[in-house]
Amino acid sequence: MDKKPRSLRTLIAVVITLVTLGVLIWGMFFTADYLVLDPKGPVGESQKDLIIISTLLCCIVIVPVLILTAFIVWRYRDKPNRKASYSPNWHDSKVLETVWWGVPILIIIVLAVVTARYTYALEPSKPIDAEQKPVTVQVVSLDWKWLFLYPEENIASVNTLTIPKGVPVRFEISADSPMNSFWIPQLGGQIYAMSGMSMTLYLKADEVGKYFGSGANFTGEHFAQMRFDVNAVEPADYQKWVDKVKGNTGSTLTEASYADLAKPGVMGQTEYSSFPEGLYSKIAYKYVVDGKQNSESSEGTKNEGMPLNTGFGVNGLGEAQPAH
Amino acid sequence: MAQPNTHGHDAHESHGSVKSYVLGFILSIVLTIIPLVIVMNDLMAKTATFIVIMIAAVLQLLVQLLFFMHLRETEKPRWNVMGLVLGIIILVTVVGGSIWIMEVNKIGY
Amino acid sequence: MAQSVAHKGNHSADHDHGHHDPNELKVLGFWFFLISDVILFSVLFATFIVLRHNTAGGPDGKELFELPGVIWETFILLTSSFTSGLATLAMNRGNKKQLIGWLIVTAILGASFVGLEVSEFVKMVNEGAGFSRSAFLSAFFTLVGTHGIHVSVGLCWMIALMIQLGKRGITETTKGKVTLISLYWHFLDVIWIFLLTIVYLMGVM
Amino acid sequence: MLDSIKDFASWFFVTGDPLIYGADVSIVIATIAIFWALTHFKKWGWIWKNWLTTVDHKKIGIMYILAALLMLFRGGVDAIMMRTQIALPGMKFLEPEHYNQVFTTHGTIMILFMAMPLMFGLFNIIIPLQIGARDVAYPFLNALSFWLFFVGAMLFNLSFVIGGSPDAGWTSYPPLSELMHNPGVGQNFYIWGIQISGIGSLATGINFMVTLIKMRAPGMTLMKMPMFSWSVFATCIIIILAFPILTVTLALLFLDRFAGGHFFTLDLGGNPMMYINLFWMWGHPEVYIVVLPAFGIFSEVVATFSRKRIFGYKSMVFALLTISVVSFFTWLHHFFTMGSGADINAFFAITTMIIAIPTGVKIFNWLFTMYRGRITFELPMMWTIAFIPCFVVGGMTGVMLAVAPADFQFHNSYFLIAHFHQVLIGGVVFGYFAGLYYWWPKMFGFILDHKLGVWAFWFWNIGFYVCFMPQYSLGLMGMTRRVSEYSWDTGWGPLNFISTIGALLMGIGFLFQVAQILYSTFKHKKVGNDPWNARTLEWTTASPAPEYNFAVIPHVHSVDDFWEAKERRAKGIADDPMPPIEPIHMPKNSIIPPIMGACWFVAGFGFVFEWWWFYIPGMIGVAICMIARSFSYDTDYYIPVEEVERTEEAIRGSV
Ligand code: HEA
Ligand code: HEA
Ligand SMILES: [Cu+2]
């Protein structure tokens, strides 16, 4: 670009502006709350490690490429009497070609191995090692709210999820609305919530706290309202909370009030002291007409005899949970 | 590439003879009857039947390609053959991949 | 200014810089089209295979398919593939009458294939096994129906071609067109074989 | 009666939003203005003869590019509307419903109606010239493809003012896109807009494939084909094999909505996952469809402006072909979180990463083309240089997404949004800009103003990083895509605000480009055949090229044939004597493509509203056009030698 001499004053002005802007932007970037990089549970922890490992591995080539780009563009720019050499017909080098086929291949091999390992280790349906028996929470994505059912306690809540700290939680996830994705960044990665099937996701919170949770897959008009709070509390407090919700017998979730709840609309947080037996599987398998067509696919699978019209068998319904 | 414009393009058009067509026809009839007989009379176990009828279908494909569609007789770089091979690879990917992904999902969690 | 050449094929001293002969060009393009059609059918097959057990309490293939009709359709189509081959042979010999004759035979066979298929569809629908009954049936009708539509389009094309052959005789241009349609016809035959195998035979297995 | 008309009108026309009334009014005014201008200046005959019915690849290319730039504007306005809405927490600029429509149309338009036609425009203008051909293999089909694209795009855009826009995202996943959750016509507009133009894209793919295989100038063996041609070759492979997948997927979705099918419904056995599976079988190859030609452009530009042969030609070709094939084996990376199990996730994670290898090879080859070169910073080269860091970083975040368990944390977050804008803008948009600047003189005979171009360049580039870098952070902060609002306590406000500023900067960059085009059009400096001192055949003919491209078909001896001819000339070696000019065989204009396009439009419109009295006549019209074409034998003509000589004379005289 043009190289007109600038007066000192403009220069100073520019520098000051840049510095201010830089500080401002720095402030914005570095004071931000990077939930994904601040995990509070083993799953999120491993995923964060993996993110860091993969970033570093990629950087092994990416950073040199960036530097090389800057260097080459600078050095070989056309200018009168430059010193850099010019060889217009040099277009082939076995050594170089080998290097840049080889190095990325090596990195990708390493990355592939790491990825495969973690993929098996972090398989969402794999239980988390822990002394305690996991708590089960059934999650249903509704049109623009989240319903949480606690089958062991027979209580339920909307848009707020309470879990005991240090105890693995087994989420069973389904939907009575378009496909969503259930995501609590600080505890670990997401999984789709789909009508007609039930997904299993194990997470665990290692610290007491209030975490951000949200739907991650677009479900229509008020998708933006599909956020929920996750309260990880001491196990004793968890029990207290359960008793409190149970005690509040004024608010029960019935078939009728579920039907209302399932209607499209936005709402705040609520808790229910009880919910109808088998509600979750009724929701997850709402569209099943009969189980005939599944007879074939269930041979020898975990989902023995589980009728499901989509052909997607599922284990781990409240009622028929095979031992893990 | 640049071939002179001679008038007769016979070189690549008059392929096939009555004989080859009749042969192809007979082969294709036979290859159709075999699976029909096997399936209608329950001659084999399920997997075996599946394998045999798929093989018959693929052979039938080759018969049609070679005897009727004259796959071998086109001019030198056989673009259509290359395309077809690639197409079949993608076909297998589409069908196989869908089955793989959707079946495993079926087992689910 | 520019003079028009109506029949390129008849134009003996072809001034084109001719590293390509138009028919050869068309055949290659048509092959690529057929390859894309292979992919099109592969998606339909994949969908059918994935959804084939999802009968939602409705009838499945075992209950619905009646092989005799399908066998007839198969042999009719196989034969028509053969006769369309004979048509190209006649064309290469320059025998216009035979060419049109074999094309007519092919078209009649094709039409009876479509007729049989349609009557089968009608019967299924009357039995309450329509397109909207279940995912399996949606996939079935779409897969088989797409093939049927291909055959029907081929028929219209063939008729248009017979008219052109009648009017213009065997020229370079019409020759090219006959070559294409016979390729198309053999291709449909191949697709049908896989339909027979995967939809019907495996359906009744 | 009157009431029912009113009811109908308020359903048929989109109402209730000042933005839409504004659009309505401007569409009507623009249409009237165009008609008035054409009538006033007596240009109807001219536009009909020279543009609407043309089968000349160069003109078709220009029409593609015009339409694409228009769509870039439309998609860009959408982007700016979105960014305004989410600039701050609690903004009340767009209703959620409206926001959803805007990101859906933004994504769809940018990929299918901006990137694709811009790409086809460049194919059209350059490929025949670059391989020394008179036209594409099937000029008629080429015109038809254009019109199919055009009516598809128009149909899609019509949804803005009539009937309502689609709002299920550019991916349009069922069951959200099924009747059950989406009863309006918007989704039908999506299906038919894409479907019609998709058929055109498939035809273009076949057309250029055959063109490249069969129409190369004598002597140009495959391994002497310029890199851009190779990239188009690789792209066409993907188009031919991937577009039918889209066609079927959309057709099945439509059957669900229109005919009560149960492919992807929740009830009666449908399986929405199957749609997702099929969509990405096309969708993933699609992103490589749009980026490969950009790679081709970079190869041409880098060699030209480094004054140096392209480095590692063979491995460039090999990399292109590898990418095009491997791109078919990675689709599941878009739904790692669907729970397919560890085997499947691991498999697709690895196939996805493999693509990084050939892509990296291309990057290195470009770098080493510049190495020991003599780089001049003309506009095409500036965009190319800007592309490298941008794409490399975007590609790196792509590889990070490919790490399946990590993707559980990235999926559907702004991290993903940042990734794909970085490759789409850094790769595709920068690439096509480079191509436009590079070949603009070949299209119009003048160069675009440098100074304004530099301004545009810096606004775009700075704007880009300001806009999309914060989005990586936002993703890590838990912000998911497609949210129309958020509250203060999320802490996403400041970075979103910065991001919006970046979007506006890019908008200003775009305005500079508009200014640049207008300015250069009116103040143009005519240039000769070869303004950049370039290397390939398209630069041997006039700018703009005459309708027959080459008076005499060139003979090719090497990859950089023209460059070497120039070197020989510099050494004083005389060219081979020109063979005599012969009459040139050309295709005739045809009115069938635009008419058939119009019939498709009518049919598509009918299908959208499910009005049989619209779609049946429309489809009959399509059939009639096809028959008419089959029966027309008078489709070509010869340009006599004298006329060619006269034209050549005039060209020489004018330079
Ligand atoms: C032009 C478009 C384009 C391009 C080129 C790419 C390129 C790549 N993309 Fe991207 N992608 C999109 C467009 C594109 N993508 C879009 C639009 C979406 C989202 C759609 C939606 O959901 O709406 C998406 C989404 C997407 C996902 C899904 C994420 C999710 O939904 O959760 C993934 C996951 O694997 C992914 C990966 C990749 C990879 C690995 C590449 C690779 O090809 C990149 C390769 C390049 C490099 C790596 C840089 C150069 C290489 C080197 C210098 C060599 C050495 C490097 C290493 C060894 C690391 N992309
Ligand atoms: C080639 C493809 C392409 C291109 C070029 C762009 C360009 C841009 N995109 Fe987009 N984008 C997509 C493809 C693309 N995008 C896709 C596929 C999606 C996913 C959609 C989905 O989720 O379904 C998406 C989604 C998407 C989102 C996420 C929305 C969400 O999930 O909620 C955002 C948000 O910032 C965004 C921003 C931008 C911006 C700021 C630009 C800028 O580069 C635009 C630059 C601006 C201009 C060129 C405009 C010029 C106009 C003017 C100067 C006029 C000014 C007028 C007014 C102010 C009224 N895009
Ligand atoms: Cu992808």
Side-chain angles (χ1 to χ4, degrees):
Chain A
M1 290 197 8
D2 59 342
K3 295 207 168 39
K4 277 183 225 133
R6 288 202 177 89
S7 74
L8 197 63
R9 266 176 55 192
T10 10
L11 198 71
I12 293 172
V14 168
V15 168
I16 290 177
T17 328
L18 282 181
V19 168
T20 329
L21 265 177
V23 169
L24 257 173
I25 292 177
W26 180 85
M28 284 177 186
F29 275 98
F30 286 83
T31 58
D33 222 351
Y34 294 111
L35 302 183
V36 170
L37 302 180
D38 181 24
K40 302 291 187 202
V43 177
E45 202 74 60
S46 311
Q47 281 161 338
K48 178 187 138 190
D49 293 345
L50 186 56
I51 289 172
I52 291 172
I53 296 171
S54 57
T55 312
L56 292 178
L57 275 173
C58 289
C59 283
I60 296 178
V61 260
I62 299 299
V63 171
V65 167
L66 294 176
I67 295 171
L68 197 64
T69 309
F71 168 76
I72 288 178
V73 169
W74 181 252
R75 181 164 164 85
Y76 294 100
R77 71 196 190 287
D78 191 28
K79 59 168 190 207
N81 53 43
R82 70 169 195 175
K83 284 181 215 83
S85 60
Y86 171 55
S87 29
N89 288 317
W90 181 68
H91 65 100
D92 197 14
S93 158
K94 289 281 162 307
V95 180
L96 285 174
E97 294 262 6
T98 316
V99 169
W100 61 63
W101 279 96
V103 173
I105 287 178
L106 289 180
I107 290 175
I108 295 298
I109 289 176
V110 176
L111 191 59
V113 171
V114 174
T115 302
R117 287 235 171 124
Y118 272 88
T119 307
Y120 286 95
L122 291 176
E123 168 56 39
S125 62
K126 215 181 97 183
I128 295 173
D129 291 332
E131 300 97 68
Q132 294 97 330
K133 211 178 130 294
V135 173
T136 300
V137 179
Q138 295 166 332
V139 180
V140 182
S141 161
L142 297 176
D143 258 342
W144 314 313
K145 58 205 90 85
W146 288 95
L147 172 63
F148 302 101
L149 304 170
Y150 302 72
E152 286 144 7
E153 316 291 353
N154 190 31
I155 55 173
S157 61
V158 169
N159 288 345
T160 169
L161 168 67
T162 305
I163 53 170
K165 168 201 129 173
V167 181
V169 185
R170 173 192 165 85
F171 290 103
E172 288 166 8
I173 302 165
S174 187
D176 196 0
S177 70
M179 184 177 95
N180 204 332
S181 190
F182 175 75
W183 189 28
I184 307 169
Q186 282 183 289
L187 299 189
Q190 60 194 295
I191 193 134
Y192 283 165
M194 295 170 277
S195 178
M197 62 177 91
S198 173
M199 311 293 283
T200 308
L201 172 68
Y202 280 91
L203 294 175
K204 187 170 125 208
D206 284 337
E207 278 176 41
V208 168
K210 188 166 164 185
Y211 305 126
F212 171 80
S214 81
N217 194 73
F218 183 61
T219 55
E221 188 171 353
H222 291 291
F223 167 68
Q225 310 300 325
M226 295 206 68
R227 307 223 164 94
F228 56 93
D229 287 333
V230 183
N231 299 299
V233 296
E234 293 291 348
D237 291 336
Y238 177 68
Q239 207 46 53
K240 264 189 232 149
W241 172 78
V242 169
D243 293 339
K244 192 200 85 197
V245 176
K246 272 207 163 121
N248 185 9
T249 44
S251 63
T252 59
L253 184 63
T254 59
E255 299 271 349
S257 56
Y258 173 76
D260 268 346
L261 190 65
K263 285 191 187 129
V266 182
M267 80 183 252
Q269 304 181 340
T270 337
E271 286 158 350
Y272 299 99
S273 63
S274 74
F275 66 87
E277 167 107 31
L279 179 61
Y280 179 75
S281 60
K282 215 180 245 163
I283 296 168
Y285 305 126
K286 186 172 168 182
Y287 298 99
V288 175
V289 229
D290 72 2
K292 183 173 140 283
Q293 70 278 9
N294 205 43
S295 54
E296 190 174 339
S297 69
S298 63
E299 282 167 27
T301 65
K302 291 188 282 179
N303 54 318
E304 207 84 37
M306 207 55 62
L308 190 54
N309 72 317
T310 50
F312 285 79
V314 170
N315 70 357
L317 298 180
E319 304 77 35
Q321 182 170 347
H324 247 294
Chain B
M1 210 44 260
Q3 37 162 259
N5 269 294
T6 47
H7 197 42
H9 295 283
D10 308 49
H12 46 273
E13 266 167 19
S14 61
H15 30 227
S17 64
V18 181
K19 214 174 89 199
S20 75
Y21 273 99
V22 172
L23 186 64
F25 186 48
I26 292 171
L27 278 176
S28 70
I29 299 262
V30 171
L31 285 171
T32 314
I33 289 177
I34 294 173
L36 280 173
V37 170
I38 293 177
V39 170
M40 288 172 77
N41 301 315
D42 278 328
L43 289 185
M44 290 184 195
K46 221 172 178 173
T47 335
T49 316
F50 170 75
I51 292 171
V52 171
I53 63 180
M54 277 317 285
I55 290 177
V58 171
L59 288 177
Q60 169 96 266
L61 162 74
L62 292 178
V63 167
Q64 295 269 342
L65 282 176
L66 298 180
F67 289 89
F68 291 176
M69 295 166 93
H70 312 292
L71 198 63
R72 278 175 311 177
E73 295 163 38
T74 42
E75 33 104 45
K76 217 27 214 314
R78 294 202 181 115
W79 290 105
N80 51 356
V81 181
M82 291 187 233
L84 201 65
V85 169
L86 198 54
I88 289 173
I89 292 174
I90 303 302
L91 176 146
V92 171
T93 311
V94 169
V95 177
S98 298
I99 294 173
W100 191 31
I101 292 168
M102 305 313 284
E103 285 291 307
V104 174
N105 249 330
K106 216 179 238 179
I107 300 166
Y109 308 111
Chain C
M1 40 174 271
Q3 84 218 57
S4 130
V5 267
H7 306 261
K8 247 218 83 207
N10 294 342
H11 206 251
S12 46
D14 188 327
H15 287 296
D16 195 2
H17 262 274
H19 39 291
H20 50 269
D21 132 39
N23 281 345
E24 198 182 295
L25 214 64
K26 288 203 173 112
V27 171
L28 185 64
F30 200 72
W31 266 102
F32 290 143
F33 161 73
L34 289 183
I35 290 164
S36 74
D37 232 21
V38 167
I39 306 293
L40 186 145
F41 275 105
S42 78
V43 179
L44 291 173
F45 271 111
T47 312
F48 175 80
I49 294 172
V50 166
L51 297 177
R52 76 191 182 287
H53 295 302
N54 299 5
T55 51
D60 65 8
K62 251 202 183 89
E63 294 161 46
L64 281 175
F65 301 149
E66 286 163 15
L67 279 188
V70 179
I71 294 172
W72 269 112
E73 288 171 35
T74 307
F75 284 107
I76 288 175
L77 207 60
L78 273 181
T79 314
S80 78
S81 187
F82 177 57
T83 55
S84 82
L86 295 181
T88 22
L89 282 183
M91 176 184 81
N92 288 343
R93 283 197 306 272
N95 189 333
K96 174 174 150 189
K97 255 224 191 96
Q98 261 187 32
L99 164 58
I100 296 183
W102 282 121
L103 283 181
I104 290 176
V105 175
T106 310
I108 290 174
L109 288 171
S112 25
F113 170 87
V114 174
L116 271 177
E117 189 164 78
V118 168
S119 70
E120 197 141 290
F121 280 8
V122 170
K123 210 159 102 209
M124 284 173 72
V125 172
N126 287 340
E127 284 167 9
F131 176 77
S132 312
R133 177 60 191 84
S134 67
F136 157 67
L137 284 165
S138 299
F140 166 80
F141 279 107
T142 310
L143 173 55
V144 180
T146 306
H147 177 265
I149 291 173
H150 271 75
V151 176
S152 315
V153 169
L155 282 177
C156 298
W157 183 13
M158 217 178 266
I159 291 167
L161 203 55
M162 286 189 258
I163 297 173
Q164 290 173 34
L165 281 168
K167 274 210 305 217
R168 295 172 190 271
I170 302 178
T171 66
E172 278 301 306
T173 316
T174 51
K175 249 187 171 173
K177 293 186 179 188
V178 175
T179 314
L180 295 191
I181 197 160
S182 74
L183 272 181
Y184 183 70
W185 208 257
H186 298 312
F187 166 77
L188 291 181
D189 198 30
V190 174
I191 298 287
W192 179 258
I193 294 301
F194 281 88
L195 276 175
L196 172 76
T197 310
I198 289 172
V199 177
Y200 291 103
L201 293 184
M202 291 190 187
V204 299
M205 244 159 74
Chain D
M1 181 63 196
L2 193 68
D3 276 347
S4 67
I5 290 179
K6 258 193 200 153
D7 279 352
F8 171 80
S10 70
W11 164 78
F12 187 69
F13 295 105
V14 176
T15 49
D17 194 307
L19 283 168
I20 297 198
Y21 290 129
D24 287 345
V25 172
S26 47
I27 287 173
V28 172
I29 292 177
T31 316
I32 293 175
I34 291 172
F35 272 70
W36 178 81
L38 287 174
T39 315
H40 183 78
F41 296 107
K42 302 207 169 49
K43 287 285 189 195
W44 281 106
W46 169 82
I47 201 168
W48 179 254
K49 229 180 90 204
N50 279 309
W51 296 95
L52 301 185
T53 61
T54 186
V55 293
D56 180 347
H57 66 96
K58 298 174 288 298
K59 286 181 177 156
I60 291 174
I62 288 171
M63 291 196 290
Y64 266 121
I65 287 172
L66 263 177
L69 291 179
L70 229 93
M71 289 293 109
L72 175 59
F73 179 75
R74 158 84 213 258
V77 172
D78 279 348
I80 284 172
M81 278 165 37
M82 278 190 303
R83 288 281 6 140
T84 311
Q85 167 61 23
I86 51 176
L88 287 171
M91 278 288 270
K92 287 277 178 291
F93 176 65
L94 297 173
E95 296 296 315
E97 180 198 355
H98 197 168
Y99 182 86
N100 299 342
Q101 298 179 346
V102 173
F103 70 68
T104 303
T105 52
H106 166 76
T108 314
I109 285 180
M110 282 299 199
I111 292 199
L112 286 148
F113 301 124
M114 187 284 283
M116 292 291 284
L118 199 48
M119 167 179 108
F120 287 149
L122 292 171
F123 283 18
N124 261 291
I125 290 164
I126 299 311
I127 289 300
L129 291 171
Q130 196 167 54
I131 61 172
R134 293 258 156 78
D135 207 320
V136 296
Y138 318 115
F140 172 87
L141 186 67
N142 196 25
L144 184 58
S145 301
F146 168 76
W147 286 105
L148 289 183
F149 147 71
F150 186 75
V151 298
M154 288 303 110
L155 191 62
F156 186 85
N157 277 280
L158 199 62
S159 69
F160 189 58
V161 286
I162 289 179
S165 295
D167 59 0
W170 85 283
T171 47
S172 195
Y173 283 177
L176 183 59
S177 57
E178 289 280 4
L179 272 188
M180 186 184 203
H181 295 286
N182 221 323
V185 295
Q187 216 46 49
N188 294 349
F189 272 114
Y190 170 90
I191 292 171
W192 281 96
I194 298 180
Q195 191 69 293
I196 293 175
S197 69
I199 299 169
S201 305
L202 180 60
T204 308
I206 295 176
N207 207 339
F208 280 86
M209 193 76 191
V210 179
T211 307
L212 286 167
I213 291 177
K214 289 279 179 189
M215 313 274 287
R216 277 169 286 128
M220 186 185 279
T221 57
L222 278 177
M223 290 315 269
K224 286 182 189 148
M225 211 156 74
M227 278 317 294
F228 179 65
S229 298
W230 262 117
S231 73
V232 174
F233 184 92
T235 306
C236 288
I237 295 178
I238 317 184
I239 293 180
I240 294 174
L241 297 173
F243 262 82
I245 307 179
L246 175 69
T247 307
V248 176
T249 310
L250 291 176
L252 299 185
L253 183 60
F254 186 67
L255 283 175
D256 272 2
R257 295 177 58 88
F258 177 77
H262 290 286
F263 294 101
F264 312 126
T265 57
L266 290 173
D267 55 341
L268 292 178
N271 189 341
M273 296 321 112
M274 189 60 188
Y275 174 95
I276 301 179
N277 176 50
L278 293 176
F279 182 87
W280 289 114
M281 272 184 185
W282 160 80
H284 184 78
E286 163 68 14
V287 302
Y288 293 97
I289 290 176
V290 293
V291 87
L292 288 187
F295 288 174
I297 294 167
F298 294 130
S299 303
E300 301 291 333
V301 170
V302 155
T304 300
F305 295 98
S306 306
R307 311 261 164 264
K308 190 158 163 285
R309 258 181 92 162
I310 188 83
F311 197 89
Y313 178 89
K314 276 191 201 137
S315 85
M316 291 291 250
V317 172
F318 181 70
L320 276 174
L321 296 177
T322 315
I323 294 175
S324 74
V325 175
V326 177
S327 73
F328 280 94
F329 297 88
T330 68
W331 75 93
L332 185 126
H333 67 220
H334 293 276
F335 47 99
F336 281 139
T337 53
M338 200 166 87
S340 306
D343 292 341
I344 290 184
N345 277 6
F347 174 84
F348 282 97
I350 293 169
T351 51
T352 303
M353 293 170 186
I354 288 175
I355 296 233
I357 299 164
T359 315
V361 168
K362 299 194 75 67
I363 303 268
F364 286 113
N365 279 319
W366 289 317
L367 286 178
F368 278 79
T369 304
M370 293 192 267
Y371 184 78
R372 298 210 201 140
R374 205 177 277 238
I375 304 171
T376 48
F377 298 96
E378 301 290 351
L379 290 174
M381 191 60 177
M382 290 176 71
W383 287 97
T384 304
I385 292 170
F387 145 82
I388 292 177
C390 191
F391 187 84
V392 163
V393 174
M396 164 176 144
T397 57
V399 173
M400 290 167 65
L401 290 170
V403 178
D407 183 61
F408 291 173
Q409 290 280 35
F410 294 137
H411 183 56
N412 275 348
S413 74
Y414 263 77
F415 192 92
L416 166 66
I417 302 281
H419 153 66
F420 71 71
H421 281 90
Q422 196 152 9
V423 278
L424 276 169
I425 297 183
V428 178
V429 175
F430 285 13
Y432 294 171
F433 281 169
L436 275 181
Y437 285 118
Y438 184 54
W439 283 307
W440 191 274
K442 195 42 65 183
M443 297 187 238
F444 298 108
F446 63 91
I447 285 186
L448 286 173
D449 185 71
H450 187 79
K451 210 163 185 183
L452 284 167
V454 170
W455 279 100
F457 175 85
W458 285 109
F459 268 104
W460 264 100
N461 270 275
I462 295 171
F464 175 84
Y465 291 101
V466 173
C467 183
F468 292 106
M469 288 302 129
Q471 294 189 1
Y472 284 115
S473 294
L474 286 167
L476 296 175
M477 293 166 75
M479 181 166 176
T480 55
R481 69 193 290 192
R482 296 172 176 171
V483 290
S484 54
E485 55 199 326
Y486 53 92
S487 54
W488 279 104
D489 53 3
T490 54
W492 303 335
L495 288 180
N496 266 311
F497 188 74
I498 297 188
S499 177
T500 301
I501 293 176
L504 291 172
L505 293 180
M506 279 186 278
I508 296 173
F510 182 80
L511 292 181
F512 267 107
Q513 289 175 306
V514 175
Q516 182 191 19
I517 291 175
L518 292 177
Y519 175 83
S520 321
T521 306
F522 291 111
K523 288 221 136 196
H524 63 238
K525 309 184 267 291
K526 264 196 94 52
V527 293
N529 293 359
D530 180 26
W532 307 119
N533 191 6
R535 318 174 70 85
T536 39
L537 281 186
E538 73 268 30
W539 304 103
T540 57
T541 182
S543 308
E547 62 173 327
Y548 47 78
N549 294 354
F550 300 95
V552 179
I553 296 284
H555 271 258
V556 178
H557 310 283
S558 71
V559 180
D560 292 311
D561 201 62
F562 180 43
W563 178 260
E564 275 162 31
K566 283 189 284 192
E567 301 230 296
R568 277 196 302 275
R569 257 173 245 161
K571 285 194 203 121
I573 304 171
D575 292 351
D576 296 342
M578 274 262 265
I581 292 175
E582 291 178 26
I584 293 174
H585 180 211
M586 295 295 292
K588 267 192 185 161
N589 279 5
S590 170
I591 59 167
I592 295 178
I595 290 182
M596 194 154 150
C599 293
W600 270 110
F601 186 84
V602 171
F605 192 78
F607 280 122
V608 167
F609 285 94
E610 307 187 4
W611 292 341
W612 62 267
W613 39 276
F614 243 88
Y615 63 73
I616 290 183
M619 292 311 289
I620 290 176
V622 171
I624 290 176
C625 288
M626 281 160 82
I627 293 171
R629 174 63 188 179
S630 177
F631 278 84
S632 55
Y633 277 67
D634 178 20
T635 56
D636 35 18
Y637 69 99
Y638 280 89
I639 306 178
V641 175
E642 311 81 68
E643 196 183 321
V644 177
E645 274 166 354
R646 230 178 301 127
T647 316
E648 291 291 301
E649 207 57 47
I651 291 169
R652 238 164 285 140
S654 75
V655 174

